[in-house]
Amino acid sequence: MTTSDVSTESPLGFLTVVEDRKHGLFGGYLVLNRAGRPLEFHCTAPVRANRAQEILYGPTLRPYLYGEQIGRTLLEQGKHGTGMVLTDCEPMLSVGEFITSPVILVGEGGGGVSPSRNNPSKKTWRVDPAQGTEPKLHFFEVAGQRLALRRNENAQQRDAVAQSLEALATSLDLSEPFERIRAAIDEARRGGQ
């Protein structure tokens, strides 16, 4: 992928999952224009793994549920092409296997994604040096916002993503659209009760 392949004018897709203990996983996909206005929104019915899936998929269950079952389904429903897809859920990065647009993890810090103690919905990244393994993510920063691509993405693609987001990130908090998605999913869940 070259720098010209990541457009500075294309809409942006924001993809996340809300976990509900009672119902399962709800996915949400919000497409915004570069001014931050919504172009479309989609959400899923609840998705829950059965016991056989939990056993058979093992540690690959979350990437399968998030990326293939939820993310892929939502992206296929989208009517607007996006220059990139942003997510705040590390397992959602596996949706990159099904699309040509780069998938970027939005957060702060540096390492694996875990909820912050002060705000469980806010994600922070941590590195556990005791594990001694190479991180699966390639971290970079744009306008003070911490981002990551999967390690298999190349530096040229990272630079293209950074260039495309540079002007946008100074005027739009890249974490904020995920709050809109969560609120819309909560509203849809309440309307369905």
Side-chain angles (χ1 to χ4, degrees):
M1 175 170 280
T2 65
T3 304
S4 61
D5 292 327
V6 178
S7 171
T8 57
E9 301 301 319
S10 296
L12 299 171
F14 291 85
L15 189 58
T16 194
V17 170
V18 174
E19 295 186 34
D20 182 280
R21 289 180 199 215
K22 182 178 177 183
H23 298 101
L25 305 171
F26 292 85
Y29 179 52
L30 176 64
V31 178
L32 300 178
N33 67 16
R34 291 294 174 132
R37 294 188 186 105
L39 299 174
E40 63 181 290
F41 174 76
H42 302 279
C43 64
T44 65
V47 174
R48 182 184 296 273
N50 60 41
R51 184 65 184 138
Q53 287 175 316
E54 290 173 358
I55 294 167
L56 296 172
Y57 279 87
T60 66
L61 180 63
R62 286 176 55 92
Y64 167 73
L65 292 174
Y66 281 57
E68 191 167 340
Q69 293 295 298
I70 295 172
R72 183 179 186 184
T73 300
L74 288 169
L75 292 173
E76 287 173 353
Q77 292 175 357
K79 293 175 181 35
H80 290 85
T82 60
M84 63 188 76
V85 175
L86 296 99
T87 185
D88 61 349
C89 305
E90 185 177 2
M92 189 63 78
L93 290 173
S94 65
V95 78
E97 298 171 25
F98 307 104
I99 63 174
T100 58
S101 299
V103 182
I104 299 100
L105 183 63
V106 177
E108 58 185 68
V113 178
S114 64
S116 167
R117 281 192 181 155
N118 298 335
N119 182 357
S121 68
K122 188 166 185 151
K123 307 290 186 205
T124 59
W125 293 335
R126 59 177 165 60
V127 173
D128 184 0
Q131 292 209 331
T133 59
E134 185 177 340
K136 296 179 210 171
L137 302 175
H138 183 84
F139 301 98
F140 62 106
E141 195 169 301
V142 173
Q145 296 195 29
R146 189 76 166 174
L147 306 172
L149 290 167
R150 291 190 307 179
R151 179 60 72 184
N152 62 348
E153 305 295 343
N154 63 39
Q156 187 178 14
Q157 185 174 37
R158 182 204 60 220
D159 293 344
V161 166
Q163 181 182 355
S164 177
L165 289 176
E166 189 70 42
L168 180 69
T170 58
S171 63
L172 175 67
D173 175 0
L174 296 176
S175 298
E176 184 275 333
F178 301 113
E179 295 305 318
R180 292 192 224 178
I181 295 170
R182 287 184 189 88
I185 289 173
D186 284 344
E187 188 65 29
R189 284 186 4 216
R190 278 186 283 183
Q193 295 178 355

